[in-house]
C-alpha cells in the first residue's frame, strides 16, 4: 500500500486501486488484533514500551500522514490511544524534526 500510494506515481506507474483496497483490508484485520491486544495492555508486548511498539512508528507515521489513512488508527479506540502515546514520545518528535 505504501509503494502504491506514495511512490507509484513518482515512478511513472499508475496506482493499483485493487491492490490498495486489498492491502487496507488486510491491515484492518491486523489493527483489529492490535485493538484487542491493546484493550488489555498499554503497549503491544505488555505494559512497557518496547521494540514491538518502536518498530511501528515509521510506517504508522506514513499511514496517518502522507498516505491519508489516519481513520484506520482513529476508528479503533485502543489503537488510537496507543498511537497518541508512542507518537508523542520526545525521542520520536526529535526524529521527525530531522526530516
Amino acid at each position: 500500500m505504501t509503494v502504491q500510494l506514495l511512490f507509484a506515481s513518482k515512478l511513472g506507474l499508475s496506482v493499483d486501486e485493487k491492490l490498495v483496497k486489498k492491502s487496507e483490508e488486510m491491515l484492518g484485520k491486523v489493527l483489529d488484533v492490535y485493538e484487542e491486544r491493546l484493550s488489555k495492555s498499554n503497549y503491544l508486548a505488555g505494559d512497557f514500551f518496547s521494540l514491538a511498539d518502536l518498530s511501528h512508528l515509521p510506517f504508522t507515521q506514513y499511514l496517518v500522514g502522507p498516505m491519508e489513512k489516519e481513520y484506520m488508527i482513529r476508528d479503533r479506540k485502543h489503537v488510537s490511544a496507543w498511537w497518541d502515546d508512542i507518537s508523542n514520545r520526545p525521542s520520536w518528535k526529535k526524529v521527525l524534526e530531522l526530516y
Side-chain angles (χ1 to χ4, degrees):
M1 185 164 50
T2 304
V3 171
Q4 290 296 313
L5 294 175
L6 297 182
F7 304 112
S9 63
K10 293 176 182 175
L11 297 171
L13 305 170
S14 58
V15 174
D16 184 340
E17 296 295 340
K18 186 176 177 181
L19 181 58
V20 171
K21 185 176 183 343
K22 182 172 178 60
S23 296
E24 274 189 69
E25 291 169 0
M26 292 184 339
L27 178 57
K29 290 177 183 177
V30 171
L31 291 173
D32 289 343
V33 171
Y34 286 14
E35 179 69 10
E36 174 64 25
R37 176 72 181 120
L38 292 165
S39 73
K40 298 174 183 162
S41 64
N42 292 330
Y43 301 99
L44 292 175
D47 285 323
F48 52 90
F49 182 75
S50 72
L51 186 57
D53 308 290
L54 179 66
S55 66
H56 286 76
L57 283 164
F59 173 75
T60 308
Q61 188 69 46
Y62 278 126
L63 188 70
V64 302
M67 291 173 61
E68 300 179 350
K69 301 290 183 185
E70 185 172 13
Y71 75 90
M72 296 188 77
I73 301 298
R74 298 298 173 204
D75 287 355
R76 294 165 174 87
K77 176 184 171 186
H78 297 97
V79 172
S80 183
W82 168 76
W83 173 247
D84 288 343
D85 181 357
I86 68 171
S87 66
N88 282 300
R89 296 177 73 82
S91 56
W92 181 244
K93 288 185 172 195
K94 186 72 171 174
V95 169
L96 293 177
E97 288 175 12
L98 299 173
Y99 296 96

